[in-house]
């Protein structure tokens, strides 16, 4: 999985060794920072500041880091010094299909908790984050926290692709009491599936199962409908179901 994260899923890179793919991705991000890819002319932004922001986004992958957080995170690396510039650069990265925000799911709850509304930011492919951070498969395996965040990004990428095939949308759920589901796949009212992402390990998978049970209990199913599925996506291992129909599935078992 660490090698797949570093190589990425861009069609012209899938046959390359992950080292060669990472180099091409770094070159691409460098070009993006220096030139306008549409015109081939010099970009209308500071290339050094753009690269510093891309690196900050990689360090904050799979989060809803505020503009202020991104400014503070890049302060020591010559990044953008104000929220307005960060916002403009983020818009540029979204237009170039480097990042893609994941919207928050809005639904009816049985509790007094309120739902978060700020989108999370993900790279369109986790290999872009790995490339800007110069991460290698061995380095990721040695840093399980970083590997976990980039694995979540890999899962979100695949879920978005599969959901598009099913005319569905991928969102995330988090409430004011920090109960969350990494992904909600929905085709509208009354049609939703909740997903938690874990690298693996018995304790982590059990925690994800308990979290999905709490999400199911929190959602007002009289108004939102019963979940079509509750799924824990892992990096490896066997697929199985709990007694209450929660599926635990390795990423490699998913299909459109």
């Amino acid at each position: 999985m660490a090698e797949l994260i570093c190589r990425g899923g861009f069609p012209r890179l899938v046959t390359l060794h992950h080292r060669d793919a990472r180099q091409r991705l770094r070159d691409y991000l460098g070009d993006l920072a220096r030139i306008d890819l549409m015109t081939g002319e010099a970009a209308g932004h500071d290339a050094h500041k753009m690269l510093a922001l891309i690196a900050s986004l990689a360090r904050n992958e799979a989060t809803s880091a505020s503009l202020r957080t991104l400014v503070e995170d890049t302060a020591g690396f010559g990044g953008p010094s104000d929220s307005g510039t960060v916002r403009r650069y983020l818009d540029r990265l979204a237009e170039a299909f480097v990042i893609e925000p994941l919207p928050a799911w809005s639904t009816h709850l049985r509790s007094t908790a309120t739902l978060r509304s700020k989108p999370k930011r993900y790279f369109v492919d986790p290999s872009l984050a790995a490339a800007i951070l110069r991460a290698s498969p061995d380095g990721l395996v040695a840093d399980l926290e970083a590997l976990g965040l980039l694995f979540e990004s890999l899962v979100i990428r695949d879920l978005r692709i599969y959901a598009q095939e099913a005319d569905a949308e991928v969102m995330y759920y988090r409430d004011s009491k920090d109960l969350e589901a990494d992904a909600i796949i929905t085709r509208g009212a009354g049609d939703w599936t909740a997903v938690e992402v874990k690298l693996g390990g018995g304790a982590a998978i059990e925690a994800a199962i308990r979290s999905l049970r709490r999400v199911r209990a929190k959602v007002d199913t009289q108004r939102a409908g019963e979940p079509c599925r509750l799924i824990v996506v892992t990096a490896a291992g066997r697929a199985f179901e709990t007694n209450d129909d929660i599926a635990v599935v390795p990423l490699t078992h998913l299909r459109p």
Side-chain angles (χ1 to χ4, degrees):
M1 280 298 162
E3 289 184 358
L4 290 176
I5 287 168
C6 290
R7 188 208 67 194
F10 292 103
R12 293 195 177 186
L13 302 186
V14 295
T15 59
L16 298 182
H17 190 278
H18 60 81
R19 284 192 299 269
D20 297 325
R22 292 203 315 272
Q23 183 58 57
R24 295 197 184 190
L25 290 163
R26 283 196 294 270
D27 290 344
Y28 169 70
L29 292 173
D31 289 344
L32 180 75
R34 289 190 301 272
I35 64 174
D36 185 323
L37 298 180
M38 294 293 291
T39 65
E41 299 177 355
H45 53 249
D46 184 303
H48 184 75
K49 291 182 178 180
M50 175 62 87
L51 286 173
L53 176 61
I54 293 172
S56 177
L57 290 169
R59 289 189 293 272
N60 289 281
E61 177 73 337
T63 73
S64 52
S66 68
L67 298 181
R68 180 182 296 277
T69 296
L70 295 175
V71 169
E72 293 174 350
D73 189 51
T74 61
F77 303 94
S81 58
D82 64 276
S83 297
T85 302
V86 169
R87 185 180 292 107
R88 180 161 54 85
Y89 283 20
L90 290 174
D91 289 343
R92 175 72 184 89
L93 291 171
E95 290 167 2
F97 301 104
V98 173
I99 61 172
E100 184 176 5
L102 186 72
W105 188 46
S106 176
T107 190
H108 304 285
L109 300 180
R110 289 190 174 113
S111 71
T112 58
T114 57
L115 291 168
R116 303 290 174 90
S117 59
K118 186 184 298 185
K120 284 185 176 183
R121 297 186 189 90
Y122 286 90
F123 284 85
V124 294
D125 194 288
S127 59
L128 292 167
I132 196 69
L133 295 176
R134 294 186 173 271
S136 67
D138 288 342
L140 288 177
V141 171
D143 184 350
L144 291 182
E145 182 177 358
L147 178 58
L149 290 174
L150 292 182
F151 177 66
E152 180 181 329
S153 181
L154 179 69
V155 173
I156 294 297
R157 182 201 71 184
D158 285 6
L159 290 180
R160 279 173 154 162
I161 293 168
Y162 298 154
Q164 185 176 1
E165 179 73 14
D167 194 27
E169 184 176 6
V170 180
M171 302 179 175
Y172 81 96
Y173 170 97
R174 189 171 184 182
D175 65 27
S176 56
K177 297 182 180 178
D178 287 335
L179 177 61
E180 64 179 338
D182 293 319
I184 299 290
I185 306 167
T186 179
R187 284 184 287 200
D191 185 336
W192 62 281
T193 292
V195 180
E196 270 285 273
V197 180
K198 295 294 180 185
L199 274 175
I205 290 172
E206 284 299 322
I209 290 171
R210 291 194 299 271
S211 181
L212 288 174
R213 286 170 178 155
R214 291 196 297 272
V215 169
R216 179 169 56 190
K218 276 278 188 80
V219 173
D220 185 349
T221 54
Q222 293 294 321
R223 305 174 73 177
E226 293 285 347
C228 300
R229 208 75 164 108
L230 298 175
I231 306 171
V232 179
V233 177
T234 64
R238 65 188 181 91
F240 65 93
E241 276 190 338
T242 65
N243 292 333
D244 54 346
D245 299 324
I246 298 176
V248 178
V249 185
L251 177 60
T252 51
H253 284 41
L254 297 184
R255 296 290 185 274

